[in-house]
Amino acid sequence: MDTPVISPPVHIELGDRSYEIRIGPGLLEDPHSLEGLPAASSVMVVSNVTVAPLYAARLMRLLCTRFRQVHLVELPDGEAHKDWGSLNLIFDALLAQACDRKTLLVALGGGVVGDMTGFAAACYMRGVPFVQVPTTLLAQVDSSVGGKTAINHPLGKNMIGAFYQPLRVLCDLDTLDTLPERELSAGLAEVIKYGPIADMAFLDWIEDHIEALRRREPAALAHAIRRSCEIKAEVVGQDEKESGLRAILNFGHTFGHAIEAGMGYGQWLHGEAVGCGLVMAARLSQRLGLVDGAFVERLRTLVQRAGLPVVAPVLDVQDNAARYLALMRVDKKAEAGEIRFVLIDGPGRAVVRGAPDALVAEVINDSCRA
Ligand code: NAD
Ligand code: GLY
């Protein structure tokens, strides 16, 4: 059953920090998008050099109907710029405009802009409110929701950051029209991950609608975004700061982060690395006797149909498995040097646990030549 293109917001329940995820077309032109936001003398829209020329004027026109001063700061584009230098550009702009502690930050862009804006909001004057306006599929189904904010460190992905929730998430479906095809596929990796960890009926639905999603049919996109946000809201509502359950949202990410860091940030897109990582994590689950080969093949086929890579890259021609293992030991889920993986423990159910290095090495070797 598909979701209508315009549907009620998804609610994320976090007590007095609860908020809505609004999904639909035309949100950047709809004054209702701003209803209920706190008064602020100034707003700082944070975007990047690619997204700002496409959507900043539209968003700023809307913001000007409600707020007196609306500023814009444009960051360089790309994962390679998710760093202290870009973060400082946000602080420079806020201070140059004498923005006070009630200033509202608005993140307009993909996950890179969203994660950095959220971190800036958590730090500026010890915390100012912020709104997420995600413009990639990946950001609409995952990164804009749940309050994880961060920048990268050369030694590890998203290592410096904070949990800090937005006041609202506005997923304007119209913004996906301009998204490059490769980025759309990258977003589908994060959509696919929700099936095996939480909802096999959703995985069936994705299999039936993968071409419609790649064609950007609005009803299919609306349903995929809504169901993904519902699952994420349910998990985050139970475990905001990842003391346990929330880790399942990292299915595919342990291998994926190693690929991103090992290749150099920006070589493989985050979603591409996660897509390949989903298949690797499924293979590891199979080696541990948790799922059968048919399940792995089902997931591999879907990831491939989404336009994502399923053969892992070689990160070191001398000792590839050792390089992967070294990179995975700095994953945030690692405990006392032991890598912990999100594995599938039967369809629709995830578990977080360690695995013998030798077994992981076999999965890496198989995945690099599969
Ligand atoms: P991204 O932010 O780099 O955006 C991808 C590319 O698309 C960029 O070049 C961007 O400028 C461009 N773009 C964005 N919107 C566009 C549009 N509407 N039209 C045309 N071009 C557009 O990448 P992403 O995939 O959105 O996000 C990946 C990041 O998200 C990673 O840094 C990852 O770590 C992070 N992430 C965070 C969480 C979280 O919970 N906070 C979850 C998943 C991923
Ligand atoms: N993307 C994983 C999380 O938000 O926990």
Side-chain angles (χ1 to χ4, degrees), residues 48 50-51 54-55 77-79 82 109-113 115 135-136 138-139 142-143 145 148-149 157-158 175-176 178-180 183 186 190 232 246 253 270:
N48 71 21
T50 305
V51 180
L54 297 170
Y55 301 111
D77 188 4
E79 187 72 38
K82 193 178 174 184
V112 170
V113 164
D115 280 12
T135 61
T136 62
L138 186 140
D142 191 355
S143 64
V145 174
K148 278 190 180 175
T149 75
K157 170 111 177 120
N158 292 333
T175 61
L176 299 181
T178 53
L179 195 63
E183 298 292 348
E190 301 279 14
K232 183 152 186 185
R246 184 167 177 167
H253 287 59
H270 175 72

Side-chain angles (χ1 to χ4, degrees), residues 46 72 83-84 105 115 125 154 185 191 212 236 280 285 321-322 366:
V46 182
L72 171 69
D83 59 11
W84 285 114
L105 263 60
D115 280 12
M125 296 200 178
S185 288
V191 176
V236 172
M280 295 172 86
S285 308
D366 284 357

Side-chain angles (χ1 to χ4, degrees), residues 338-368:
E338 191 205 18
I339 309 165
R340 290 161 57 74
F341 297 90
V342 181
L343 301 171
I344 300 305
D345 181 22
R349 214 176 47 234
V351 64
V352 183
R353 54 169 279 193
D357 280 1
L359 217 57
V360 179
E362 282 175 25
V363 167
I364 292 163
N365 292 333
D366 284 357
S367 301
C368 288

Side-chain angles (χ1 to χ4, degrees), residues 280-364:
M280 295 172 86
R283 283 204 179 107
L284 184 57
S285 308
Q286 183 195 0
R287 293 217 172 228
L288 289 163
L290 304 174
V291 292
D292 60 18
F295 178 82
V296 178
E297 185 49 26
R298 183 179 173 189
L299 195 58
R300 194 195 68 79
T301 303
L302 182 57
V303 169
Q304 195 164 40
R305 286 176 67 206
L308 293 160
V310 290
V311 179
V314 173
L315 300 181
D316 186 328
V317 284
Q318 303 294 332
D319 196 346
N320 188 44
R323 176 74 178 133
Y324 267 88
L325 286 162
L327 287 164
M328 291 193 291
R329 277 188 231 290
V330 286
D331 185 84
K332 287 190 288 310
K333 287 183 299 305
E335 284 178 11
E338 191 205 18
I339 309 165
R340 290 161 57 74
F341 297 90
V342 181
L343 301 171
I344 300 305
D345 181 22
R349 214 176 47 234
V351 64
V352 183
R353 54 169 279 193
D357 280 1
L359 217 57
V360 179
E362 282 175 25
V363 167
I364 292 163

